[in-house]
Each structure stands twice: as C-alpha cells, then as structure tokens.
Amino acid sequence: MKKTSKLWILAGILAIIAVAVWLLSGNKKKEVVTFETEKVEVSDIQTSITATGTIEPVTSVTVGTQVSGIVSKLYVDYNSVVKKGQVIAELDKTNLTSELNTAKANLASAQSSLSYQLANFNRYKTLFDKGLVSADDFESARLSYQQANQQVAQARESVKKAQTNLGYATITSPIDGVVLSKSVEEGQTVASSFNTPELFVIAKDLTDMRVIADIDEADIGGVKEGQRVSFTVDAFPDDIFQGSVQQVRQEATTESNVVTYEVVISARNNDLKLKPGLTANVTIFTLEKNHVLTVPSKALRFTPNEALLTKEQTIKDCQGDHKLWTKEGNTFIAHAVEIGTTNGVLTEIVSGISEGTAVLSDFNISGGQAEMPQGEQASNPFMPRPRNNNNKSGGNNNMKK
C-alpha cells in the first residue's frame, strides 16, 4: 500500500511539473496583427433625408357660383380641356331675369318721380323768387326733389346688381386648363347663402406639378431652397422623378405629438405620368459635393496601438488636428490633413495627402493561446494566467502580441 501511495504522489508531482513547464515555456500560438487599408480617392459625398408627400398641380382653381339656382346646362366633364372665358355651365335664369326686370321697372318709376319733383321744384323756386310762397314750401319742394334723385340712384344700383347676378348664372372658366373634378349634375340645385358652392376644380397645367412633402422637425434644419430632390410613386415603381426644393414653409403642423413642416418641391410632368393625389416617396439631398478627394471617415479615427507593435516597428507622428496613417516597411507614418465636409461615412480631404494613397483604417488580430492538453486545462478561476510573450523559438518576422 505504501508503495502504491508513493506512486500516486509521484504521478501528481509530475503532472504539476508538466503544467508549470507549459505555462512558463510560452507555448502559445502567435497572435498575428494585420491592418486594413483604404484608398484616398475621388468620390461624391452625399447626405439625404426621406419623407412622403402628395402630388398636386402648381395652380388649381375652384370654380363656384355666387347665386343660387338650378343647374340647367353643363358643358364640360372630367378631364375636359377648357380655355379662359369658356362657358362651362349655366344656371336657370328665370328668377334672375325676373329680378332684373323688376329692378328696371323700379328705375323707370323712380325716374318718372324725379321728373315730376324737378318740375315741381322749379315752379316753387320761381314763386319763391317772386315772394308768392313761403320759405317752408320752397324747402319742402327742394327736399322732395333731392329724395327723388336719390331713389333714382338706388334704382340704378338695383339694376346693376340684378344684371350682375344674371351674369353669374353663366359660369365660365377663369383659366386655361383641365377639369379635375365636377361636383354637380344638370338639374341639381345649388345654394349660395353662406358659402360659395363648389362646382368644378380646374388645373392650369398638368405638365407643371409639385410635391407637398411633410418633413420632420429633426430634419427640417438641413432643407434649403434649390436642393436636388428625387422621388418615386407607387404607380410607376421603376421610374425615378427629379425635382428641386422650391419653398420651405414656416408654419408647423402637429399631429400625434409629431411636428412637421411642409416643403414644396417642383416636379416636371411632361409625360403626364404624375397624377394629382399620388403619394410620393421623397429623397432630399441636403449635402452634395461631387468629384472631391475623399477617404472613409473611420480612417481618421485610426491610431497605431504601441502594444501591438514588434520591436522592429516604430511610429513617426506629427502635429495636426486630423491625421491619416500609412505603413512603410516597419514604420507607421502620420500625415496631417485638412478635412472638409463629411456625411459620416466619407470625409472630404482638402489637403495633406495625395490621391491613391493607401491609409490604415483598422487592425485585426488572428491566432491566440494554444489549448492545453486534454485533462490538463486549468479550471481554477484564481489560477494566474500567463502573460503574452514572444515565442522563444520563433523570430520577429510577423507583428504579434
């Protein structure tokens, strides 16, 4: 038994020695550091925001009537092309004509009364000048004449009003354009007691459209007049339409605690594909710089880590707020650069480095600690872990940790 115990103790001591030798020998796989590079090249820098909007004509006019009546004639329908001044509808004129005739009769009566009062005034003036009538009688005759004169003026205005109302019964187009909507039919009664009834909506030119887009308050600060816009509509998903920002409206709209601002975007429609009311998916390019020297923005955030360098590798730094790094042999060289605009992904390089230069942007570590022989892996979390040392048997040909 004693011999067996000694054998077990000897085996344990040998196992401990084996683990210690493994830990102290630096028997690890090499950690090889490789670097990613990006080229400085000419490119376009763009920043954009997206929104939705509604397509509508630039100019559209609602045609109504200022008088009540029955629609007796309609001369146009949906999509009818009309000219300015063209008769597009008529109301029944019976009552309006009667009102005009009544106004004319009242004017004739007032004019007859005026003639009588004028003659009467002249008689009293002659008698008053001769002292044959009192001043009261003369003033009474003059007052009657003045009142008759005013009644004639009022009757004339009534005739003008009746003539105007009769003219309103004939409805004409105020512009050249296309009828977008028609809200009445022949025989329908329209009443204009408080609001002007809507009869037609006429668009001036369907080749000149616009998009009214709702821009979120977080994005509106970057939107300016003249910026390029592209948009699509579901009706023609393969077509991309072009436009530009024409107006940024100051009035805010709040809906469900979301604040938006209306932006007016021009939209040429020469092929008449765009129809009023279509929903547009809008992209507004708030930043565009074309054909400028650029570099991926992550390259400006790269700095060599001294802990990853081998003994042969050195760093040649320089002064500057913004730097790009290149690797020439075993030397990391910093280049101070002046930057311009950026969209977060690409940054414009104004000066400091030439086109085509490969600059460092990131590093990768491959390899790592070798696995211990099966049955000898350390399971004690408090066991000290080995430091990373160079493999004594290897050279310094690769960068390693």
Side-chain angles (χ1 to χ4, degrees):
M1 292 293 295
K2 290 182 179 181
K3 186 176 181 179
T4 303
S5 299
K6 288 181 180 181
L7 290 175
W8 279 108
I9 292 172
L10 180 60
I13 292 172
L14 292 175
I16 293 172
I17 293 173
V19 171
V21 170
W22 183 88
L23 291 173
L24 296 175
S25 65
N27 184 20
K28 300 177 296 181
K29 292 182 180 179
K30 297 177 182 178
E31 292 183 341
V32 179
V33 179
T34 58
F35 292 91
E36 296 180 7
T37 61
E38 302 285 351
K39 278 195 175 182
V40 179
E41 57 187 2
V42 174
S43 184
D44 300 335
I45 298 179
Q46 294 180 340
T47 299
S48 63
I49 61 174
T50 58
T52 58
T54 303
I55 295 174
E56 62 180 40
V58 172
T59 303
S60 62
V61 179
T62 299
V63 181
T65 174
Q66 297 189 26
V67 295
S68 301
I70 299 174
V71 179
S72 60
K73 293 288 184 181
L74 288 177
Y75 299 104
V76 295
D77 203 346
Y78 291 95
N79 300 333
S80 296
V81 178
V82 295
K83 297 293 183 181
K84 183 177 181 179
Q86 177 182 336
V87 177
I88 56 178
E90 287 188 71
L91 303 182
D92 182 74
K93 300 179 181 179
T94 302
N95 292 337
L96 297 173
T97 302
S98 177
E99 290 175 1
L100 176 60
N101 292 335
T102 300
K104 288 180 177 179
N106 291 337
L107 175 60
S109 175
Q111 289 173 333
S112 296
S113 177
L114 177 62
S115 298
Y116 169 76
Q117 294 298 338
L118 176 60
N120 188 53
F121 170 71
N122 289 333
R123 281 196 307 271
Y124 270 87
K125 186 177 186 302
T126 301
L127 293 174
F128 178 74
D129 291 340
K130 294 179 179 180
L132 299 177
V133 294
S134 65
D136 288 342
D137 291 338
F138 173 69
E139 291 297 330
S140 178
R142 183 167 62 177
L143 178 60
S144 297
Y145 165 67
Q146 291 175 342
Q147 290 175 340
N149 204 9
Q150 293 171 353
Q151 288 174 354
V152 169
Q154 291 176 354
R156 284 199 181 100
E157 291 301 320
S158 296
V159 171
K160 288 182 181 179
K161 181 179 179 180
Q163 287 175 331
T164 301
N165 288 339
L166 182 60
Y168 286 150
T170 300
I171 300 166
T172 60
S173 174
I175 59 173
D176 295 344
V178 178
V179 177
L180 294 184
S181 69
K182 181 186 69 171
S183 304
V184 293
E185 298 292 342
E186 289 186 3
Q188 183 175 337
T189 301
V190 292
S192 60
S193 55
F194 297 103
N195 298 319
T196 301
E198 178 182 311
L199 305 182
F200 306 95
V201 175
I202 299 176
K204 184 177 182 180
D205 183 7
L206 291 182
T207 63
D208 188 16
M209 305 290 277
R210 66 182 181 181
V211 180
I212 306 298
D214 296 322
I215 307 300
D216 189 86
E217 62 178 326
D219 298 325
I220 194 64
V223 180
K224 301 291 186 297
E225 292 183 5
Q227 290 173 339
R228 184 172 69 89
V229 179
S230 65
F231 63 93
T232 61
V233 294
D234 292 341
F236 303 98
D238 297 329
D239 293 342
I240 299 177
F241 302 90
Q242 302 295 329
S244 62
V245 175
Q246 298 296 307
Q247 185 183 53
V248 181
R249 293 178 176 172
Q250 301 298 321
E251 183 182 9
T253 301
T254 303
E255 185 175 349
S256 300
N257 295 325
V258 177
V259 179
T260 58
Y261 293 83
E262 287 187 343
V263 172
V264 181
I265 299 165
S266 66
R268 292 300 303 170
N269 189 31
N270 295 328
D271 52 8
L272 299 180
K273 287 184 175 180
L274 300 176
K275 301 182 184 302
L278 288 177
T279 298
N281 302 304
V282 176
T283 300
I284 301 175
F285 295 92
T286 55
L287 169 66
E288 281 192 296
K289 296 198 74 173
N290 299 324
H291 305 295
V292 294
L293 199 62
T294 64
V295 71
S297 299
K298 65 179 183 178
L300 290 163
R301 298 189 292 269
F302 175 85
T303 301
N305 187 341
E306 293 186 3
L308 301 179
L309 305 185
T310 63
K311 294 180 180 180
E312 293 82 2
Q313 293 175 328
T314 59
I315 295 176
K316 185 178 179 181
D317 206 345
C318 67
Q319 298 295 322
D321 295 332
H322 304 282
K323 302 176 185 178
L324 291 173
W325 292 84
T326 59
K327 184 175 180 293
E328 298 181 8
N330 288 324
T331 304
F332 293 83
I333 303 174
H335 304 265
V337 295
E338 181 183 354
I339 66 172
T341 56
T342 180
N343 62 358
V345 178
L346 291 177
T347 299
E348 178 187 7
I349 302 299
V350 178
S351 63
I353 201 165
S354 59
E355 180 183 354
T357 304
V359 296
L360 302 174
S361 61
D362 203 352
F363 65 88
N364 296 305
I365 302 176
S366 60
Q369 181 173 309
E371 292 185 359
M372 295 176 60
Q374 186 175 1
E376 297 182 1
Q377 294 183 3
S379 60
N380 188 344
F382 299 101
M383 178 175 287
R385 297 181 179 273
R387 294 182 180 180
N388 293 324
N389 298 315
N390 294 335
N391 193 326
K392 295 179 181 179
S393 61
N396 291 320
N397 295 326
N398 294 321
M399 294 183 63
K400 52 190 178 295
K401 187 176 177 180

